[in-house]
Amino acid sequence: MRVLKFNIKDVAKRAGVSISTVSRVINDSKVVRPETHVKVMKAIEELGYKPNAIARSLKVKNTKTIGILIPDISYNFYPEVVRGVEDIANMYSYNIFLCNTDMEEDKVIQYFEVMAEKQVDGIVFMGNMVSEELAAKIKLYDIPTVLIGADYGQLPSVTIDHVAASKALVNYLIKKGHEKIALITGKMVDPIVGTARLAGYKKAMMEANLTIKDEYIVEGGHRYKSGYVCAQQLLSLEDKPTAIFAASDELAFGAIRVAMENGISIPDELAVVGFNNIDMAGKIFPALTTIAQPMYEMGAIGMRVLTKILNEDGPEQNKIVLDFSLIERETT
Amino acid sequence: MRVLKFNIKDVAKRAGVSISTVSRVINDSKVVRPETHVKVMKAIEELGYKPNAIARSLKVKNTKTIGILIPDISYNFYPEVVRGVEDIANMYSYNIFLCNTDMEEDKVIQYFEVMAEKQVDGIVFMGNMVSEELAAKIKLYDIPTVLIGADYGQLPSVTIDHVAASKALVNYLIKKGHEKIALITGKMVDPIVGTARLAGYKKAMMEANLTIKDEYIVEGGHRYKSGYVCAQQLLSLEDKPTAIFAASDELAFGAIRVAMENGISIPDELAVVGFNNIDMAGKIFPALTTIAQPMYEMGAIGMRVLTKILNEDGPEQNKIVLDFSLIERETT
DNA sequence: TTGTAGGCGTTATCAT
DNA sequence: ATGATAACGCCTACAA
């Protein structure tokens, strides 16, 4: 840390006042006389003085800083929500520490502790599950934390109803006349991209009295490659599905490629739907039908909830469930 | 900031030693006797004590924190480089403040000042140009700063040779037999996506003795929509181009769609190339031929340069120019 | 309206 | 090997 050359004492000396007076004008207390104010401001200007936020934090016991823990900023889902968080944070004069956890428990805990040591005022956590250990730490350190995407215990959170969304999407496919609907899930250890999507799928199928064929359900990962492989498997089946529901847009992109490569026309011979509505979903050809998660809003609202908590603005509604929407495009 | 309940004094009391001793074990000084070490560790455990990094920073004059200023984390180019920065930062125990500037001069300056007040040890700056004002601030505050993507004065930087890359791409097209090559540039106020790409294009065309037709050069923005519009314009020309060089992948996606919608076959009737090699470039159909910028490496290396500077590890090579590469895929 | 002084939680110097 | 104590730069009673 380069020392910003001057401190409050230098300013005080130059302005011929005490440091408390300088402090007062910095934090514009109303009690200071206009002419002293001018004097001090002049000294500040001349010296190019900037208050030291670290020293200030030590005294006032807040840092105007929050930590955001996400799996991986380079994965297409997160940048948008981070942007939402940062916009609101900035609006309330907070800065954000960005931490990539790769969904690894060790890293999560490690970052959490570092954030605690660095005295962040609050934390935004994303990750499809919160472990017992993390929950315990949150309670132990008592750092205001809001969950985005996930939900856990009494913690404030902002989510969408993943099961309902998944079900809605399958219902839509059914309404379109599809009966042979395949599902490429996320990893089954993932309660959201894995089990929740599957649950919604099953619900919809059962309510429509459609048989759920095991070979129509394949476990993917969350990357393109895995969508590609799974779709290949699905499309080499004796009795091919007429629609594929991929648990994420990127997975869907993989499925689309398989179809394209094999001259299977979309949507005529095969419908493909994804989930998330990432930026590129509407920019590819054919444009992808998908469920839109309000990513930016999730971030923005999550951060808003956090600011409320930090300002102790009453016992807000702390479990927020946002609406999803079905974006119908060209793959169905 | 929730106060982590206990401080060094509490630990000292509990362990029956002085605070200096506690401080020594925290910073594992070798002079402390094994048995006192144990005693102190026990007290630390029992209390769940975590040192206060803010207090520490005030004393030692560094924060193990760096600021990263980028235009917009939700724009597809940046997440990958931020990940590179963060990985290396983390490796050296730094945390990063993420700041979205939207390339607005005001925001840039504002964030820079906030970072200075928060006493970051260094700054990573991305943005296609650095203003006089920013340069002045950097010098004034004397905060170690490295530029990624851009270059300016004596400041350390990591870049690629944009003109050469652009030229190489056009050369490639020419070698493929194209003569009617159109260019969708970025905004011309942007020295990189605008002028540098154009310069490379012109150079290649001239060296190949191809005429540069004004109507083949259209100014786009940096988003999909603008690629779409520009390509429409280009493809409604009397004398259509046989190849379109879009200054960014997203622009190229827009061009591809225009072709697809009009039944123009890619690459037979029209070749399309982009620039950057964003994650999705290889995942769409047809997969995009493009220039790969080593985004992750740019971030990682940039951060590495910064750590060198922070450790005063000699007067390194501070202007680093990375290699680009041409990724040939299906659109050519 | 302004100044004095104590303290925020550490580290580091100097004794012991 | 350990302990007292003075900083670090700021804020904030309390006094004047």
Side-chain angles (χ1 to χ4, degrees), chain B residues 34 53 66 190 210 272:
Chain B
I66 74 127
D190 183 328
L210 293 174
V272 177

Side-chain angles (χ1 to χ4, degrees), chain A residues 224 228 231 235 251-264 266 272, chain B residues 281-288 329-330:
Chain A
Y224 173 79
Y228 184 84
L235 293 175
L251 249 17
F253 283 17
I256 288 173
R257 165 159 281 267
V258 175
M260 296 299 226
E261 284 180 355
N262 294 285
I264 298 173
I266 293 177
V272 177
Chain B
K283 297 176 179 173
I284 61 165
F285 187 91
L288 183 67
R329 286 196 277 240
E330 302 166 344

Side-chain angles (χ1 to χ4, degrees), chain A residues 73-74, chain B residues 73 76-85 279 295-297 299:
Chain A
I73 191 64
S74 70
Chain B
I73 192 62
N76 52 51
F77 181 77
Y78 301 102
E80 194 114 345
V81 2
V82 169
R83 184 47 140 120
V85 172
D279 182 47
M295 300 179 279
Y296 182 90
E297 285 73 21

Side-chain angles (χ1 to χ4, degrees), chain A residues 41 98 115 257 278 289 329:
Chain A
M41 283 310 281
L98 182 73
M115 291 297 100
R257 165 159 281 267
I278 61 173
T289 294
R329 286 196 277 239

Side-chain angles (χ1 to χ4, degrees), chain A residues 1-2 50 53 61 64 72 83 86 95 102 111 117-119 142 250 257 283 330, chain B residues 1-2 50 53 61 64 72 83 86 95 102 111 117-119 141-142 250 257 283 330:
Chain A
M1 160 163 99
R2 288 301 174 283
K50 287 282 160 199
K61 296 190 173 317
K64 283 297 184 180
D72 179 7
R83 185 44 142 122
E86 210 270 325
N95 291 105
D102 290 316
Y111 270 119
E117 291 185 11
K118 291 206 170 163
Q119 312 292 127
D142 194 29
E250 188 167 336
R257 165 159 281 267
K283 298 178 179 172
E330 302 166 343
Chain B
M1 166 161 95
R2 286 303 172 282
K50 287 283 160 199
K61 296 190 172 315
K64 283 298 184 180
D72 179 7
R83 184 47 140 120
E86 210 270 324
N95 291 105
D102 290 316
Y111 271 119
E117 291 185 11
K118 291 206 170 165
Q119 313 293 124
Y141 291 156
D142 194 29
E250 187 166 336
R257 163 158 284 265
K283 297 176 179 173
E330 302 166 344

Side-chain angles (χ1 to χ4, degrees), chain A residues 299-310:
Chain A
I301 292 174
M303 184 62 209
R304 218 147 221 152
V305 169
L306 190 49
T307 62
K308 295 260 179 183
I309 297 174
L310 294 176

Side-chain angles (χ1 to χ4, degrees), chain A residues 15 50 57 88 144 146 163 213 219 256 281 285:
Chain A
K50 287 282 160 199
S57 288
I88 305 305
V146 1
V163 175
K213 296 177 65 172
E219 179 174 353
I256 288 173
F285 188 92

